[in-house]
Amino acid sequence: MTTTHPSLLSILALVVLTAIMPCQAEFMVVLPDSSGLVDRPQNGFSNLARTDPAEQRAVYETMAATGNAWATAIPDVCRGRWHGIECMPDRNDVYHVVSLSFGALSDDTAFPTCDPAHATLSPALLHLPYLRSLFFYRCFSGDHPQQIPAFLGGLSPSLRSLILRENGHVGPIPTELGNLTSLGVLDLHGNKLSSSIPQSLQRLTRLQLLDLSYNQLTGPIPDLTNPTLNVLDLSHNFLHGQIPATFGQCDSLIKMDLSRNRLIGSIPDSLSNLKSLILLDLSHNSLSGPLPSSLGKLISLRALLLNGNYMSSATIPEDGFAGLKELFTLVLSNMGLQGPIPESIGELPSLRVLHLDGNKFNGSIPQSFQRLEKLSELRLNDNRLSGPIPFSKEMLWRIGRKLRVYNNPGLCYDASNGRSEGIDSMSGISYCETETKRVVVGAASASISGHQTKHLSSRTDRGPPSRPSSYAPTHGSGILRLLVPITGFLLSVLPLL
């Protein structure tokens, strides 16, 4: 079995979790290819086994360049290895370096740290022909920011994982990185990289993870057709242009995050081919409508975030999300959406978080929302909704303060679902009354009907209301109850004066 450092295995587990839930960071490690090397524990070899001398010198130089000159005091870097170097022997009992890692990843991961004032990437790395993984985390973020050196494109053809994360790197992504055609992971997250994404990355057809998020990249997104790509994160940049339709050919994608860029155009229908997709985040761009009904074909989707794309006058297709039975997060805030909220959203049995706030939805809250038994957060505020809020008191208590319905002037609460006193989310929402009152005007009569707002008694019959014995105002609506009989009285006696 291939040996991998325990901390790296925990990192691999982390990427699976972050692919399911929206987040800002993840790591992924590709296990080394043991071709030509003996795949067994390092400490099980003859005392005659030694590190390759040329690789030993390369490690000394690489360590010194990062401010870790102490390594030169170790006679054999593979036999006296530290947390951050991994080696494998060949059949001649010669050790070869397969992984180097730097940076304080966590309190219990003591990779060698870097001297922030003097650390550099050394060309000596080119003399490690068996290198599979190279990891630098927060190593070059001092007062003198560095570019990613082009010589990295000449690293071992066996390199599987290149992670240069939060190092303060500036300038462009070197075109030469496209020469690393065995790469499974390219992670440049959290630097200050500028310019465009090089087209040469299209040659990295074995990529499983591409993370260029939290940089300052500009220009269009290159066409990618990687059949092995699981995670694509280009979020928090300045990328513009349209979403490439070729992304629909990356049919192994689990996570796609293109949020907080400047993308335009419509959402490609080709994305419906991504049957394994769990997270799709296109939020905070300038995408235009209409919302494609093809999104309903993403049967594995758990989280869909489109908020912040102002699609003026767009509507939600009635069955647009009907196929998303696994969906538990749907965020469509501040999109300029209008029309009624489809009843079909209430048929998503796994839904836990639903944000529809900041739109122009009209009509009533769908009755089907009562069936969202797992719902724990609902935002409907700042719309044009009207009519009764259909939720039971139990549902209101369950969601609590994570229910937001304010700034919908036409909404009211049906007291037949249980009194709402003490429920913070109902603050400012009045009780509904849908009864017909009759006002006598001389010998004629007229009906006044429709929604009125007042606190209801426990009476449940729908017949004409009996004359109240008191006109004490309740939450402001009692004033209206006083005016109706007084106005009727005046209108009936005026002709007699």
Side-chain angles (χ1 to χ4, degrees):
M1 181 176 180
T2 302
T3 57
T4 303
H5 201 284
S7 64
L8 297 188
L9 286 175
S10 64
I11 293 169
L12 179 58
L14 179 60
V15 75
V16 177
L17 295 176
T18 56
I20 295 176
M21 288 299 293
C23 71
Q24 296 183 351
E26 70 283 317
F27 297 92
M28 185 174 183
V29 173
V30 174
L31 299 179
D33 178 1
S34 59
S35 176
L37 302 178
V38 177
D39 188 7
R40 52 181 168 149
Q42 298 175 27
N43 56 5
F45 290 92
S46 165
N47 288 332
L48 299 177
R50 293 291 184 271
T51 302
D52 180 275
E55 294 182 47
Q56 172 110 344
R57 289 192 296 272
V59 170
Y60 284 160
E61 291 181 36
T62 300
M63 294 294 287
T66 60
N68 292 285
W70 51 263
T72 58
I74 299 176
D76 190 293
V77 296
C78 286
R79 292 175 62 86
R81 62 193 181 276
W82 54 86
H83 198 57
I85 183 171
E86 294 183 48
C87 304
M88 295 179 70
D90 61 20
R91 289 174 175 81
N92 297 315
D93 279 348
V94 176
Y95 279 122
H96 299 284
V97 178
V98 296
S99 176
L100 285 174
S101 300
F102 297 84
L105 181 61
S106 66
D107 292 339
D108 60 350
T109 305
F111 295 152
T113 57
C114 301
D115 180 350
H118 304 100
T120 61
L121 280 164
S122 172
L125 291 165
L126 300 176
H127 300 294
L128 299 173
Y130 292 89
L131 195 64
R132 305 293 192 263
S133 175
L134 187 61
F135 180 97
F136 285 89
Y137 177 62
R138 295 183 177 178
C139 276
F140 315 108
S141 53
D143 295 332
H144 304 287
Q146 304 174 34
Q147 293 190 4
I148 297 176
F151 70 72
L152 292 182
L155 287 172
S156 166
S158 301
L159 193 71
R160 299 292 189 269
S161 178
L162 177 59
I163 299 177
L164 304 174
R165 195 174 179 89
E166 297 184 33
N167 289 303
H169 288 302
V170 297
I173 298 172
T175 301
E176 290 80 0
L177 295 188
N179 298 331
L180 303 173
T181 53
S182 295
L183 272 186
V185 170
L186 178 58
D187 186 343
L188 307 179
H189 163 92
N191 290 290
K192 299 178 182 178
L193 299 171
S194 57
S195 191
S196 58
I197 301 174
Q199 296 288 329
S200 63
L201 298 190
Q202 293 174 316
R203 301 202 299 267
L204 305 181
T205 56
R206 298 183 182 181
L207 276 181
Q208 297 176 45
L209 180 146
L210 177 60
D211 189 344
L212 307 179
S213 60
Y214 286 84
N215 280 289
Q216 299 169 12
L217 298 170
T218 61
I221 300 174
D223 291 335
L224 296 175
T225 58
N226 304 52
T228 59
L229 194 63
N230 297 135
V231 176
L232 174 64
D233 193 342
L234 306 179
S235 63
H236 292 79
N237 280 290
F238 302 110
L239 300 170
H240 58 77
Q242 297 187 336
I243 299 172
T246 57
F247 282 1
Q249 299 178 43
C250 303
D251 50 14
S252 296
L253 271 175
I254 296 172
K255 171 184 176 179
M256 181 193 295
D257 190 348
L258 308 180
S259 63
R260 295 192 180 275
N261 280 287
R262 299 174 178 176
L263 301 175
I264 60 172
S266 58
I267 300 172
D269 282 330
S270 62
L271 298 188
S272 63
N273 298 327
L274 306 178
K275 304 302 185 188
S276 300
L277 197 64
I278 293 176
L279 168 67
L280 177 60
D281 190 348
L282 305 177
S283 62
H284 298 287
N285 281 288
S286 298
L287 299 173
S288 56
L291 282 176
S293 57
S294 57
L295 291 175
K297 299 179 181 179
L298 300 175
I299 55 176
S300 297
L301 204 62
R302 305 291 197 278
L304 175 61
L305 299 94
L306 302 177
N307 49 302
N309 291 284
Y310 194 76
M311 300 181 177
S312 179
S313 302
T315 59
I316 301 178
E318 176 56 40
D319 295 323
F321 305 127
L324 307 182
K325 301 302 183 184
E326 304 297 323
L327 193 71
F328 61 71
T329 299
L330 177 60
V331 181
L332 305 177
S333 307
N334 302 308
M335 295 180 63
L337 300 173
Q338 64 178 23
I341 299 173
E343 289 277 349
S344 60
I345 292 180
E347 306 299 331
L348 303 178
S350 301
L351 205 59
R352 292 170 171 79
V353 176
L354 176 59
H355 292 182
L356 302 175
D357 52 299
N359 287 292
K360 301 176 182 178
F361 289 121
N362 55 29
S364 60
I365 299 173
Q367 292 290 324
S368 62
F369 278 21
Q370 298 179 77
R371 295 193 287 275
L372 297 175
E373 297 179 353
K374 297 182 179 180
L375 198 65
S376 61
E377 185 171 332
L378 175 61
R379 297 183 185 178
L380 299 171
N381 54 285
D382 298 291
N383 279 289
R384 302 171 180 175
L385 299 172
S386 59
I389 296 172
F391 309 136
S392 65
K393 186 173 183 179
E394 291 73 21
M395 186 173 183
L396 294 177
W397 277 115
R398 185 180 78 240
I399 302 178
R401 293 186 178 183
K402 292 187 177 181
L403 173 64
R404 301 181 183 179
V405 293
Y406 55 82
N407 289 342
N408 287 284
L411 283 182
C412 56
Y413 179 67
D414 187 349
S416 65
N417 290 324
R419 308 285 294 181
S420 68
E421 284 84 350
I423 301 176
D424 290 341
S425 58
M426 290 292 98
S427 177
I429 302 295
S430 299
Y431 288 101
C432 306
E433 180 183 10
T434 54
E435 300 174 342
T436 300
K437 288 185 175 293
R438 303 182 84 64
V439 179
V440 178
V441 185
S445 65
S447 294
I448 302 176
S449 64
H451 286 285
Q452 295 188 16
T453 56
K454 72 170 187 176
H455 283 289
L456 292 182
S457 68
S458 60
R459 184 180 54 82
T460 58
D461 64 275
R462 295 301 178 187
S466 58
R467 182 178 179 86
S469 59
S470 172
Y471 297 106
T474 306
H475 285 236
S477 60
I479 296 175
L480 180 60
R481 297 172 60 189
L482 276 171
L483 290 177
V484 169
I486 292 174
T487 303
F489 171 78
L490 291 175
L491 289 175
S492 64
V493 300
L494 279 175
L496 305 176
L497 296 179

